[in-house]
Amino acid sequence: MSAFDKKVIIAGAGDTLGSQLTEQFLAMGWKVFAGYCAGDERREPTDALVPFGFDPMDHFYTMAAQKKVGEPVDMLIVNVDKAFDGEDATIEGDINYETLIAAYEYNCVGALRVVNTFMPLLEEGTGKRICIVTTKASSNFSCYDTAGFAAHVSRAPLNMACTQLFNGLRPKGYTFRLYCKDVENGNDGWAAEYFTRNRSYEPEDLKHSDEERIVLRDWMAREVPW
């Protein structure tokens, strides 16, 4: 078995979690296609690491990134995340609707654009797994604050979009992982293991396994209610 029998695209490899995921997948022997947004510090290319630029808001630039990768992959990780408003911005104050729309277009529509763009490469691969990085604030159940509301509001519709993607793609052999990163503490060492593990044989009802439904999980492997 060659070192690169498994290949992953990490769209958003430039932040703390993206960099950590890159290291973890390289350590596991995967070939990593690492996508960096403008302003991100890129790693130097190696046989196992292929860096490329992409912009979730730019269809043509992202299509160019697809051509840069140019080969079948087994997994796509979408780590598209931008706050847009400050920590002090709340929905009770003066709402900047341009900021609200920008957050939605980046965090939700942008993430979907990335999925759609790289789907042909997933279709040619054998893994067919789509992993979406989000936050607990995307859950009605788990959001307790009022700050940064534009970012919170922009991630919730992404959950519904993933549900519809799941409904259409699960019968075609795709599986999904939705991971709530630990924004405050950065305890995300479990992320790569969650993305790669087959959870269909774990001791819970098969129809409730992570392979047969959309599940939000946090960095401690706990299910986050929606």
Side-chain angles (χ1 to χ4, degrees):
M1 180 178 292
S2 72
F4 304 137
D5 281 341
K6 295 183 178 180
K7 302 170 186 177
V8 58
I9 296 172
I10 302 176
D15 66 3
T16 300
L17 176 57
S19 178
Q20 191 171 32
L21 286 168
T22 300
E23 292 292 344
Q24 291 169 334
F25 276 91
L26 289 173
M28 291 188 293
W30 288 56
K31 184 173 183 178
V32 176
F33 297 93
Y36 296 93
C37 294
D40 290 341
E41 183 177 352
R42 299 191 188 188
R43 291 184 48 159
E44 292 298 317
T46 66
D47 290 342
L49 177 67
V50 179
F52 65 89
F54 83 106
D55 183 350
M57 299 298 291
D58 189 324
H59 175 73
F60 294 103
Y61 191 22
T62 307
M63 285 299 298
Q66 184 215 80
K67 294 179 180 179
K68 170 76 173 179
V69 175
E71 58 185 278
V73 297
D74 303 289
M75 183 182 298
L76 170 63
I77 299 172
V78 182
N79 180 34
V80 172
D81 180 48
K82 198 170 182 180
F84 284 91
D85 54 359
E87 289 300 320
D88 295 331
T90 75
I91 202 166
E92 299 171 286
D94 294 330
I95 298 177
N96 184 329
Y97 290 100
E98 290 183 357
T99 296
L100 186 62
I101 293 171
Y104 170 74
E105 290 184 342
Y106 192 94
N107 293 328
C108 181
V109 178
L112 294 176
R113 180 178 289 112
V114 171
V115 172
N116 182 260
T117 300
F118 290 111
M119 275 286 295
L121 303 183
L122 275 173
E123 191 66 30
E124 295 174 2
T126 59
K128 289 184 170 59
R129 177 161 294 170
I130 298 172
C131 306
I132 305 292
V133 176
T134 182
T135 69
K136 289 196 294 184
S138 69
S139 162
N140 287 340
F141 183 87
S142 300
C143 183
Y144 299 104
D145 65 342
T146 60
F149 78 94
H152 292 11
V153 169
S154 69
R155 295 186 184 103
L158 181 60
N159 296 344
M160 180 55 69
C162 288
T163 295
Q164 294 201 320
L165 282 172
F166 176 89
N167 292 343
L169 295 177
R170 182 66 189 107
K172 300 176 182 179
Y174 284 80
T175 55
F176 287 74
R177 297 286 187 269
L178 270 64
Y179 176 72
C180 299
K181 64 181 179 180
D182 185 21
V183 178
E184 292 80 14
N185 304 305
N187 296 314
D188 294 309
W190 180 69
E193 195 272 343
Y194 176 51
F195 291 160
T196 55
R197 182 196 292 182
N198 182 345
R199 300 182 65 93
S200 60
Y201 301 105
E202 295 181 1
E204 63 180 5
D205 191 332
L206 178 61
K207 69 180 180 180
H208 289 136
S209 80
D210 287 22
E211 311 305 324
E212 300 300 334
R213 61 181 179 139
I214 286 288
V215 184
L216 288 175
R217 290 196 185 274
D218 68 8
W219 63 277
M220 294 183 68
R222 298 172 299 194
E223 182 172 344
V224 178
W226 287 40

